Amino acid sequence: MNIPLDRDRAIPLARQIEAHVERLMREGHLLPGMKLPATRELARSLGVNRATVTVAYDELVAAGWAR
């Protein structure tokens, strides 16, 4: 999953990841039942800490976008 991150923006990286995944879901690029990439895999591909991806995924779950 290619997520463009802007490290110079004031928006936290976890929030940028969350917003991008949410947009992909809203636009139908990620369909119900599709698995999201593993946190370690996505963190490695984005060059961020695994905890950052975990926070983003936790927020998606809390908002009802993922389970």
Side-chain angles (χ1 to χ4, degrees), residues 5-63:
L5 296 177
D6 187 346
R7 287 166 166 71
D8 295 327
R9 292 179 65 193
I11 299 170
L13 295 176
R15 178 63 188 124
Q16 291 182 47
I17 295 167
E18 175 193 354
H20 187 80
V21 172
E22 186 178 315
R23 192 183 91 240
L24 290 174
M25 290 175 178
R26 270 189 276 112
E27 293 175 354
H29 299 288
L30 288 174
L31 302 173
M34 289 180 75
K35 288 184 78 170
L36 295 174
T39 56
R40 281 189 178 97
E41 175 188 324
L42 186 57
R44 187 175 21 259
S45 72
L46 296 177
V48 299
N49 189 294
R50 180 177 171 225
T52 301
V53 176
T54 300
V55 168
Y57 281 10
D58 288 346
E59 290 298 319
L60 288 166
V61 169

